[in-house]
Amino acid sequence: MQVVGKSSFPLLGGKGELTPTSSELMSAPEEEEDFDILNDETFGDGVDEHFDWEEEHERMAEELDSFSDSRQNGNKTKDSGFDTAEKSYRSQEEYLEQSISQLVVDDEEDLEDPAILNASRNRPIPQSHKARLEDLFGPSSPPAFLDTEHLVSPSSKDIWRYSRAEEALNKQRNNKQSNYKIPTIIERRNIIPQSPMIPPQAHTLEEIEKRMMSKPRVVTAEELERQMRGETTPSAKASGMMMQGQRYTTPVQIPPQPMVSPLSHASPYHRHIQPPHGFSPITQMYPDGRNSPLHQILASGRITPTGNMSPIPHRQSPVFGMTSNSPLGRSITPPHPLRMSPLSHSPLQNHIMTNINQHQSAMLANAMTQNRNFSNTGNVPQARGQGQYGSQNGPRGNHPYPDRYGNQSSPVRPYNKNHQRFQGPSYNRDYYYRPAHEQPRDGRSTDDFAGLMTQKEKDWIIKIQLMQLQTENPYIDDYYYTNFTINKKNKELRRQQEVNGVTTEEQQLLIPHLVKIEQKTYSPAQFEGSLGRLTTASVHNPRQIINITRRASIGGEEGQNVSKELRKIRQLLMDIEKGYNILLDIDDLEKQVLALTPESRKPLNEARKEKIVNLLEYFTHSDNPDNFLQIISVRKGRKLLSRVLPLLDTSQTEVLMSIILSHLPNLAKKDSEEGTGQLCESVTRAIATCNLNMLVKFAGQIQKEYHEEQSLKLVFQNKLGSTLLCCMLKQGEVIYQNTSPVDMDNQLQTSWCNFVEKFVESLASVSFESIATPICLQPNIAKHLDRFINKKLVAGVEEKLNLFTTAQS
Amino acid sequence: MSNYLPGTASLVEEIDKKLLVVLRDGRTLIGFLRSIDQFANLVLHRTIERIHVGKKYGDIDRGIFIVRGENVVLLGEVDLQNENNPSLEKVPIDDILEMQRAEQLQKQQEEDLKKKALKERGLHPTDHSVLDDYS
């Protein structure tokens, strides 16, 4: 091909003017007139005039087609029918027409978008060179791999699924991931981990499951993005590298929608199969983000089967988009969304259905519902919003307010009961608030541009956010929130227990002991035959740029200046801190223990006991009697003491209690300071576990401490003391009630009797005003006193006794 | 707090609402949030930029804004019922721009004085006008 350039630039063959300032470069050494840039040398041999690049391309496309075909031949068993159907088309044209017609069906989804309202999708693509177009743009051509239409088309079972070509790629890749154990979470009641259960659901689900079965993949946000964009997934190598450095994350799955079953209706969009029977708990698959470990455990009754987890495909969104916006109210059935996880059904689960569970399902249901609602802010003509709940609400006028509110309540109603239990007033408030903000009251009730963001997209964002919230160790990542939710849940349970009278165990968050990936020290990957070292850092294994190690601080010498006093105090504080560390370790052990089998718990339990002993020893240093006093003088020390006390067993309790009591006067002085209140509580609880022997012992000790005054007067005057005494008496009463007089040691009885007498005497002598109220009232004291003391005496102290027994206004 | 993200918040709920967005450079935008992404990039529709000077404010119509997420300081819902009766006085745009310029000038002068004073006392003045995380 010869082209004569029309430009004025001489080098391009044009005959432009040469200005005097033109550079030397412009004139080539050779005679430039003869120098034709656009010649064969530059552009190649023009000999082959018959070369038709279009033909070549056709051929190549065919080859590619056959190539991808051959790959899929091996997938016949797992084929969903899509491929085989495709191959039956005689020509690419047919196929294109088919897919176009299918596209039309899909249209409804986007009809809400006013921007494209006028655009008609029914117009066929103008095809001048039909054959070529198919090659270039048909399903088997290379660009088709990138075609999002395949994702959107209803013939692909779900939009989050890759196109079939990508599937093939993935199958290869998935083999690499078979080593990964997916972290699973167990509910407390179901202590022994069970093997995955076969869902007793309709067989359609099983079918679907089988089809969808592939090795579980951990999804990264990047992959999600790619999915969304419809790109081909990255090379196996790259993703493999990503996986390596990746920690365990429970893959987020918006509960997979069961696929179109033969049982369900004609429309491919009615994805919900059965009415919820209590929303079987979706275990890990909830996009609950941080709550997924929490709630799943609290809710579900079994481990998620590792192998059974459906691949990432999330298929529920189209349903929502569909149902909410179908103008004709096509899907009138109330949106109860997904819930039917095929995997999570088990008899155990059904039995263990808890509020949270239902709440969870309800939550997501509402999430989706709400999403839709919110996106309909005053925008969509009311018909659409109603179409969704058509059967429930009936037509309403154009008044947005009650409509929205009405809309909210109907889907909420079935779930509300469960919902509210968990979230209570704040949740209700949320609902009430929304309507006020949603609609502009100025009469402009339609917002033409609303709904620009489809439900799919919103779900996608939410999914990403939820993934970011996922954690395998909630206690580390978000301790306070975890505790908060657990406490809330337990409170609910307790409240329920009161109402129902049924005792259910308090739930605790279980975190299974995960097999941790060894953290290899980073060594940069090296490539063969590359020039220099290529960087292979990614988000998950960032490259270490600076190696900073901390040197032990060299500030030891300056300690000389610090006085001995100060050092002692610091040492004391350090010791108390160590005590707390041990407490934390004990706590951790307790948590780990929950998730294990009884056998594997043993070592942990032993470790725990050891630590407790350590703590006890710290308090009971016999070599330094002042030690205890010192500890007590620090608030943190008192708190430590009160936290240790409940952990001890009986004999240990006895020991520690004696020590406490021996220091009672000192402790009494600290009554007003912080930490003693907690001590009172722990002490109370400790006494409640005592037997008579111990009680007597304690009594003796108290008396010993105050033996100068020969009265327990002083004891009453501080909170700790009076609490102590009251508790002791209460416990005495309990013991006396429960044991027959025969069993009790006479000696003990007499000593106890003496003590009680002393008690009454002191009470009588103490002035009414100076008595400190115990932290909790013990109404049985009076009864107990009656056993030993004659009525007259008791009557004398009745008034003061009332301080201990009845609530004072 | 949304139901599907307990314990956190998401911009998804703010879609199609009228929001007031404050940017890092101090601008205030008011518009309908149409779309977001995972980085909190925002698409604002029917946006107006509101300039406040003292008790007065002026609006400039801006149309559609796409804001990069990292530049957003905060955003909040506009109370549609009360938005038309603020205690502030609306003035025409040119006036407010004038006032803004005057305010800037004044601030600059104050800054210069302060800098000078600091220098005289031997202290090194730092530039606080640029709110940068890394400096």
Side-chain angles (χ1 to χ4, degrees), chain A residues 450-516:
Chain A
L452 218 57
M453 207 173 171
T454 62
Q455 191 57 36
K456 265 186 288 179
E457 290 160 1
K458 288 185 197 168
D459 293 341
W460 184 69
I461 302 251
I462 290 170
K463 198 183 358 158
I464 293 180
Q465 291 180 313
L466 287 173
M467 268 189 8
Q468 291 168 341
L469 293 178
Q470 281 196 312
T471 166
E472 68 204 61
N473 37 20
Y475 276 113
I476 298 175
D477 288 334
D478 202 345
Y479 176 79
Y480 294 101
Y481 178 75
T482 310
N483 271 10
F484 168 72
T485 2
I486 289 183
N487 288 341
K488 212 166 162 189
K489 171 94 175 69
N490 285 335
K491 223 189 286 180
E492 264 311 313
L493 269 180
R494 256 176 266 139
R495 203 178 60 80
Q496 253 204 319
Q497 282 175 28
E498 285 166 34
V499 172
N500 299 344
V502 177
T503 41
T504 45
E505 289 173 40
E506 289 210 345
Q507 307 208 318
Q508 284 173 291
L509 178 61
L510 301 177
I511 302 164
H513 183 64
L514 300 171
V515 176
K516 291 214 176 102

Side-chain angles (χ1 to χ4, degrees), chain A residues 605-635:
Chain A
N605 281 336
E606 314 250 319
R608 178 177 170 269
K609 285 193 185 115
E610 252 185 71
K611 293 192 192 271
I612 294 179
V613 168
N614 279 346
L615 275 174
L616 184 63
E617 272 172 18
Y618 172 59
F619 279 113
T620 61
H621 273 171
S622 46
D623 48 343
N624 187 2
D626 272 344
N627 191 33
F628 190 79
L629 206 55
Q630 283 173 341
I631 299 173
I632 293 303
S633 60
V634 182
R635 171 176 70 103

Side-chain angles (χ1 to χ4, degrees), chain A residues 10 284 309 494 513 529 558 654 663 778:
Chain A
Q284 228 148 340
M309 291 219 291
R494 256 176 266 139
H513 183 64
E558 55 117 88
E654 203 176 324
H663 291 265
Q778 314 288 4

Side-chain angles (χ1 to χ4, degrees), chain B residues 78-111:
Chain B
V78 172
D79 184 354
L80 296 165
Q81 288 149 4
N82 291 329
E83 75 167 321
N84 291 325
N85 42 340
S87 48
L88 310 168
E89 179 198 335
K90 180 159 184 174
V91 296
I93 301 170
D94 299 319
D95 295 355
I96 201 74
L97 285 170
E98 266 303 314
M99 287 194 269
Q100 193 186 36
R101 242 170 268 140
E103 195 188 34
Q104 294 282 55
L105 206 61
Q106 197 195 19
K107 274 210 183 120
Q108 192 63 32
Q109 284 169 351
E110 279 176 21
E111 270 297 313

Side-chain angles (χ1 to χ4, degrees), chain A residues 97 100-108 111 116-126:
Chain A
E97 279 174 29
I100 287 177
S101 59
Q102 284 167 342
L103 280 175
V104 170
V105 175
D106 189 32
D107 235 349
E108 258 67 50
L111 254 185
I116 58 166
L117 260 177
N118 296 326
S120 159
R121 292 225 186 171
N122 297 344
R123 263 186 277 126
I125 299 172

Side-chain angles (χ1 to χ4, degrees), chain A residues 637-655:
Chain A
R638 291 195 291 275
K639 287 213 161 144
L640 183 62
L641 181 61
S642 45
R643 286 179 72 166
V644 168
L645 207 48
L647 297 172
L648 305 170
D649 66 21
T650 337
S651 54
Q652 293 168 326
T653 315
E654 203 176 324
V655 168

Side-chain angles (χ1 to χ4, degrees), chain A residues 264-541:
Chain A
S264 71
H265 357 284
S267 161
Y269 299 104
H270 288 276
R271 304 261 170 119
H272 33 269
I273 292 195
Q274 289 150 22
H277 57 88
F279 309 118
S280 49
I282 312 267
T283 46
Q284 228 148 340
M285 319 229 256
Y286 255 99
D288 269 348
R290 73 179 56 212
N291 269 346
S292 61
L294 235 172
H295 282 243
Q296 285 150 20
I297 302 168
L298 299 186
S300 74
R302 50 182 288 250
I303 316 176
T304 15
T306 57
N308 271 358
M309 291 219 291
S310 303
I312 306 311
H314 313 267
R315 292 162 276 158
Q316 36 101 358
S317 331
V319 186
F320 292 121
M322 181 56 215
T323 54
S324 70
N325 298 308
S326 109
L328 306 173
R330 225 196 241 202
S331 50
I332 299 234
T333 47
H336 75 43
L338 9 134
R339 285 23 213 275
M340 296 293 119
S341 161
L343 309 175
S344 40
H345 294 294
S346 77
L348 206 65
Q349 269 181 336
N350 291 334
H351 148 68
I352 291 180
M353 214 67 68
T354 65
N355 291 338
I356 284 300
N357 214 355
Q358 291 155 342
H359 158 69
Q360 249 190 329
S361 353
M363 247 164 58
L364 198 58
N366 279 307
M368 299 311 164
T369 324
Q370 276 183 1
N371 260 343
R372 253 167 298 145
N373 282 342
F374 297 153
S375 68
N376 285 346
T377 318
N379 48 10
V380 179
Q382 296 311 312
R384 288 197 200 147
Q386 285 169 19
Q388 182 178 9
Y389 313 113
S391 58
Q392 289 172 346
N393 284 345
R396 287 187 193 238
N398 212 18
H399 193 358
Y401 190 86
D403 183 47
R404 143 146 288 101
Y405 190 57
N407 273 347
Q408 281 180 339
S409 62
S410 45
V412 167
R413 230 178 284 127
Y415 317 141
N416 220 0
K417 185 174 73 117
N418 304 320
H419 237 306
Q420 281 174 338
R421 286 235 203 93
F422 187 64
Q423 284 187 326
S426 64
Y427 183 73
N428 280 333
R429 234 184 293 130
D430 216 24
Y431 264 137
Y432 293 128
Y433 272 160
R434 290 270 177 227
H437 288 242
E438 288 300 336
Q439 298 288 340
R441 300 288 217 116
D442 56 354
R444 188 169 47 123
S445 56
T446 52
D447 187 1
D448 293 330
F449 289 88
L452 218 57
M453 207 173 171
T454 62
Q455 191 57 36
K456 265 186 288 179
E457 290 160 1
K458 288 185 197 168
D459 293 341
W460 184 69
I461 302 251
I462 290 170
K463 198 183 358 158
I464 293 180
Q465 291 180 313
L466 287 173
M467 268 189 8
Q468 291 168 341
L469 293 178
Q470 281 196 312
T471 166
E472 68 204 61
N473 37 20
Y475 276 113
I476 298 175
D477 288 334
D478 202 345
Y479 176 79
Y480 294 101
Y481 178 75
T482 310
N483 271 10
F484 168 72
T485 2
I486 289 183
N487 288 341
K488 212 166 162 189
K489 171 94 175 69
N490 285 335
K491 223 189 286 180
E492 264 311 313
L493 269 180
R494 256 176 266 139
R495 203 178 60 80
Q496 253 204 319
Q497 282 175 28
E498 285 166 34
V499 172
N500 299 344
V502 177
T503 41
T504 45
E505 289 173 40
E506 289 210 345
Q507 307 208 318
Q508 284 173 291
L509 178 61
L510 301 177
I511 302 164
H513 183 64
L514 300 171
V515 176
K516 291 214 176 102
I517 317 176
E518 280 159 27
Q519 306 282 355
K520 290 188 239 168
T521 49
Y522 174 78
S523 50
Q526 294 180 347
F527 297 89
E528 296 280 315
S530 63
L531 289 173
R533 278 193 178 172
L534 303 174
T535 51
T536 53
S538 77
V539 170
H540 299 288
N541 54 348

